[in-house]
Amino acid sequence: MCGIVGYVGGKNAQNFLISGLKRLEYRGYDSAGIVTLAEDGSSTLIRAKGKIVNLEEKLAKSKREDTIGIGHTRWATHGEPSETNAHPHQAGHLFLVHNGIIENYKDLKRTIKNHEFKSETDTEVLAALINSFYQDGKHPLMNAVVQALKLVKGTYGIAVVSELSPKEIVVARSGSPLVIGVGHDETFIASDASALVGHTKQAIYLNDGEVARVTSESIEIKTLRSEPVSAKVEEIETSLSAIQKGGYDHFLLKEIMDQPESLTETLRGRVNVKDGVVHLGGPGLSEAELRKIKHLIIVGCGTAYHAGVLAGYYIEKFAPEVTIETVIASEYRYREAYIPRDSVALIVSQSGETADTLACLREIKKQGIKTIGIVNVIGSTIAREVDGGTYVHVGPEISVASTKAFTSQVISMVMFGLTIAQAKGVKTSILRPYVEEIAKLPAEIKKVLDVNKDLIKEIAKKYKGYEHAIYLGRGTAYPTAMEGALKLKEISYIDANAYAFGELKHGPLALIDNRFFEVALLPEGELYEKAVSNVQEVLARGGKIIAVTNVDKFDLEVEDVVKITTPLKIFTPILMNLISQLFAYYMTVAIGYNVDQPRNLAKSVTVE
Ligand code: AGP
């Protein structure tokens, strides 16, 4: 996610801004910038694409002794990574940095006069909107910010400064954190307390809907309705690494537990439960083009591939006459396969840089097939080379093991499939259950994680000594089993593999002995009874089974049962995968391996 810093006091602002932005680097970003103001109101704005070191190179030529300023590291959401799109953005005499997404920025942009837009960002629209109320200092900066934010739909954490009042910073938050660091004759601003460590131990965490005006010796907070708010000063955690992991021991657990929020960002502005439809602007396919699709190729590696297999199982259930082929990129790129003309290719990649997936994209484009990216990193190579795309918007995924990206990749592809079905005239009554369950997923994910986290930690300890594991599932639970096995193997180094339940008797059943434990994913549904008989085959051979199920009256004599309670019927595999994610995490913690950087692996496999 983006990072915000600000400083007003007696010391050099540039120094704090740069050191503060470096503290936020772990959050992932693709460009950065700072602006400082001199006492006479003259401003020094420096921005750079790429890493902070690029910003520092520019700064070396513009050293200033200014004592007020704001800074930002940008994780692109609107407009690709570039100096022009980097924050701070200027409008008149004021400068703004922003975390979050302004959903109605296009509508707001149309209302703005007398501002020549230079960037593609929603942030510049917000800066111009604030300026339209500020009117070059005719009104107090804080009032102008309040008036503008009343018109905003979406999420924001912002900091604003003006050349006309170079002693104050105005900040506000709604859905994106903003912390005020209280110093002695100096005040700090940050989107993440890690930037404050070593500067102050006193912090005020703004709440949603609050706006604050800070100077070197005062802090005034009020709501958007101009009601005064009394500042609650709290002690901040002094351990940097604890803060950067949001209080979790590892990024992996943070990212697993972040999934209610990250999926909410994926769905933002795309799901219309009232009408039972979804809307994706990014793919850029017309209704007519969507209607013509007869074949979907879904391309990815590792977790992205598993997401594609699972999404494909769902799409073929509701998209009529659409055949689905999900392929492993490193294989498909050498197959010279013929691609039917009425195909569209979904190119799935969290990083947007995976070499094999990128190579497939280029091969498929050579055949004149439309390519749609299902990507997380904005402006990444794959995101730039596809014909259209849907960003999953889960924020930076730091841990090598992919978790929140998987959940959002599956749902993003299902939503793309729904747009095909909608264009083909599939009755809303058939599609509405998918849309309604998608809308409910974030809350159900939160429930499943909160209820089961401690249970899974205990179960994982029981199986710590095993070196082999088998994950099993039927139907949509089978690609889910594949993903669960990958999670466990890639961080605990346990030899975990997944098999379709129905495949057991064709070979894998021979493996079962006391060296193995099995994880059986058993969602309620038409395949449940068949899966139960497979479980009994494994039990008869001494299998040690951990059953994950949402079936109310589950009575098989297995080793452990993880019961999922949910009203969902369709996306229960997504909820079961959370159990696999937690299990892999706690197993690895119990063993003592490096959870976030497992041996031999990299977060983005940019080599073939
Ligand atoms: C998943 O946990 C792994 N880290 C790995 O399989 C990953 O999914 C794969 O390398 C694809 O990465 P991408 O999504 O960035 O293309």
Side-chain angles (χ1 to χ4, degrees):
M1 282 310 179
C2 313
I4 288 177
V5 290
Y7 178 80
V8 54
K11 299 188 187 104
N12 181 295
Q14 285 182 339
N15 294 344
F16 171 75
L17 297 177
I18 291 296
S19 66
L21 290 180
K22 285 183 173 174
R23 287 281 181 79
L24 304 182
E25 282 196 286
Y26 77 95
R27 305 169 65 91
Y29 66 103
D30 43 53
S31 55
I34 67 170
V35 65
T36 58
L37 303 174
E39 288 203 3
D40 65 4
S42 58
S43 59
T44 304
L45 172 64
I46 303 159
R47 299 181 296 180
K49 182 181 173 185
K51 295 302 175 197
I52 291 173
V53 66
N54 301 343
L55 189 64
E56 288 184 289
E57 278 165 21
K58 289 190 164 188
L59 202 60
K61 302 177 199 117
S62 314
K63 285 306 277 175
R64 303 279 304 197
E65 293 310 314
D66 299 346
T67 59
I68 178 171
I70 56 177
H72 188 259
T73 46
R74 180 174 183 248
W75 171 265
T77 56
H78 293 76
E80 68 167 13
S82 68
E83 182 174 336
T84 312
N85 287 333
H87 305 197
H89 284 286
Q90 182 172 8
H93 292 283
L94 64 82
F95 295 86
L96 166 77
V97 291
H98 163 233
N99 287 354
I101 293 180
I102 309 292
E103 282 174 39
N104 61 333
Y105 80 101
K106 286 184 180 152
D107 297 339
L108 294 172
K109 188 169 184 174
R110 280 192 280 273
T111 69
I112 292 178
K113 310 278 179 277
N114 320 320
H115 178 84
E116 189 201 330
F117 284 97
K118 300 183 185 64
S119 79
E120 309 153 75
T121 65
D122 54 342
T123 302
E124 189 183 359
V125 172
L126 180 54
L129 182 67
I130 294 170
N131 194 40
S132 69
F133 290 103
Y134 183 53
Q135 292 175 11
D136 289 341
K138 288 196 188 67
H139 302 278
L141 185 58
M142 187 175 193
N143 294 4
V145 169
V146 168
Q147 292 311 313
L149 292 180
K150 285 179 176 173
L151 303 176
V152 160
K153 290 197 189 80
T155 54
Y156 57 79
I158 62 170
V160 194
V161 292
S162 166
E163 294 169 333
L164 305 176
S165 54
K167 293 201 179 310
E168 63 178 351
I169 304 175
V170 174
V171 295
R173 75 154 280 174
S174 178
S176 192
L178 221 292
V179 188
I180 299 170
V182 185
H184 297 293
D185 300 329
E186 58 185 0
T187 306
F188 306 88
I189 301 294
S191 53
D192 172 322
S194 61
L196 305 179
V197 172
H199 298 282
T200 176
K201 286 192 169 59
Q202 311 285 310
I204 298 166
Y205 293 81
L206 270 193
N207 297 308
D208 282 352
E210 291 180 353
V211 184
R213 173 185 178 274
V214 305
T215 65
S216 57
E217 70 271 338
S218 69
I219 296 170
E220 177 199 359
I221 305 175
K222 62 184 185 181
T223 68
L224 286 181
R225 290 189 301 278
S226 296
E227 297 147 342
V229 172
S230 58
K232 183 169 162 262
V233 181
E234 301 178 43
E235 282 286 305
I236 55 172
E237 164 93 47
T238 51
S239 122
L240 204 46
S241 81
I243 285 177
Q244 292 182 340
K245 295 178 183 110
Y248 291 106
D249 292 340
H250 302 96
F251 283 112
L252 182 56
L253 185 57
K254 177 175 182 292
E255 289 156 11
I256 292 170
M257 300 307 287
D258 270 353
Q259 288 178 95
E261 292 74 24
S262 55
L263 182 59
T264 299
E265 286 307 311
T266 306
L267 304 182
R268 190 177 295 285
R270 294 169 167 170
V271 181
N272 176 343
V273 178
K274 189 171 71 59
D275 299 339
V277 296
V278 297
H279 171 70
L280 297 178
L285 295 176
S286 66
E287 293 280 296
E289 288 173 312
L290 287 167
R291 236 187 328 276
K292 279 199 308 219
I293 296 172
K294 285 271 186 298
H295 187 70
L296 269 188
I297 303 175
I298 306 177
V299 181
C301 300
T303 286
Y305 166 69
H306 296 151
V309 178
L310 180 54
Y313 269 73
Y314 284 121
I315 296 170
E316 63 194 10
K317 291 173 185 288
F318 57 70
E321 305 145 19
V322 175
T323 56
I324 314 271
E325 182 186 14
T326 304
V327 297
I328 291 173
S330 56
E331 284 295 304
Y332 192 71
R333 64 181 290 193
Y334 302 109
R335 271 179 38 196
E336 295 169 33
Y338 169 72
I339 304 177
R341 293 302 86 200
D342 43 12
S343 300
V344 161
L346 296 185
I347 312 297
V348 194
S349 176
Q350 188 284 129
S351 62
E353 302 298 345
T354 300
D356 287 318
T357 311
L358 178 58
C360 265
L361 162 60
R362 290 169 175 166
E363 285 304 314
I364 290 169
K365 283 185 76 173
K366 276 183 202 155
Q367 295 202 39
I369 298 298
K370 269 253 195 274
T371 54
I372 305 293
I374 305 291
V375 176
N376 186 38
V377 180
I378 315 281
S380 55
T381 307
I382 289 173
R384 283 203 308 277
E385 295 194 13
V386 289
D387 298 306
T390 285
Y391 282 122
V392 296
H393 285 315
V394 298
E397 194 176 61
I398 310 279
S399 198
V400 166
S402 185
T403 50
K404 60 181 182 174
F406 172 82
T407 300
S408 289
Q409 285 164 348
V410 174
I411 297 304
S412 296
M413 286 185 270
V414 169
M415 288 197 286
F416 178 71
L418 287 167
T419 63
I420 296 174
Q422 287 164 192
K424 285 175 180 278
V426 175
K427 289 206 296 291
T428 307
S429 58
I430 293 175
L431 304 181
R432 179 182 288 279
Y434 289 87
V435 178
E436 288 176 346
E437 285 212 7
I438 286 172
K440 288 177 188 157
L441 253 180
E444 290 303 308
I445 288 173
K446 176 158 180 43
K447 223 168 58 182
V448 168
L449 290 171
D450 291 349
V451 164
N452 292 290
K453 186 162 161 282
D454 296 338
L455 167 66
I456 301 305
K457 183 174 181 178
E458 291 317 307
I459 292 179
K461 286 179 194 162
K462 272 178 70 175
Y463 293 83
K464 178 182 158 189
Y466 283 86
E467 291 179 12
H468 304 278
I470 286 179
Y471 282 66
L472 295 159
R474 268 187 186 269
T476 49
Y478 170 45
T480 311
M482 291 157 75
E483 174 57 13
L486 172 60
K487 235 23 62 190
L488 186 66
K489 79 166 61 114
E490 71 173 320
I491 58 175
S492 74
Y493 317 149
I494 290 174
D495 168 30
N497 293 292
Y499 301 101
F501 261 123
E503 270 298 282
L504 273 177
K505 54 188 167 308
H506 299 287
L509 204 55
L511 288 172
I512 308 291
D513 62 23
N514 59 11
R515 295 172 302 143
F516 284 75
F517 68 89
E518 294 78 27
V519 178
L521 305 182
L522 299 162
E524 192 177 22
E526 60 193 7
L527 299 176
Y528 175 71
E529 287 311 325
K530 282 203 178 314
V532 163
S533 57
N534 297 134
V535 166
Q536 278 152 350
E537 287 166 15
V538 175
L539 288 173
R541 288 155 182 84
K544 293 259 179 317
I545 295 181
I546 303 168
V548 184
T549 182
N550 62 323
V551 166
D552 198 22
K553 292 187 177 46
F554 182 81
D555 54 7
L556 291 176
E557 291 297 310
V558 295
E559 203 71 19
D560 290 280
V561 181
V562 180
K563 183 63 78 59
I564 290 178
T565 308
T566 176
L568 302 192
K569 301 277 179 242
I570 302 168
F571 293 112
T572 37
I574 294 281
L575 301 179
M576 293 181 165
N577 189 53
L578 303 171
I579 303 303
S580 300
Q581 292 173 349
L582 288 171
F583 183 74
Y585 171 73
Y586 283 116
M587 176 68 85
T588 306
V589 169
I591 296 170
Y593 290 147
N594 183 328
V595 169
D596 286 322
Q597 275 93 30
R599 68 185 181 194
N600 312 335
L601 301 180
K603 182 59 186 170
S604 177
V605 184
T606 53
V607 292
E608 296 177 8

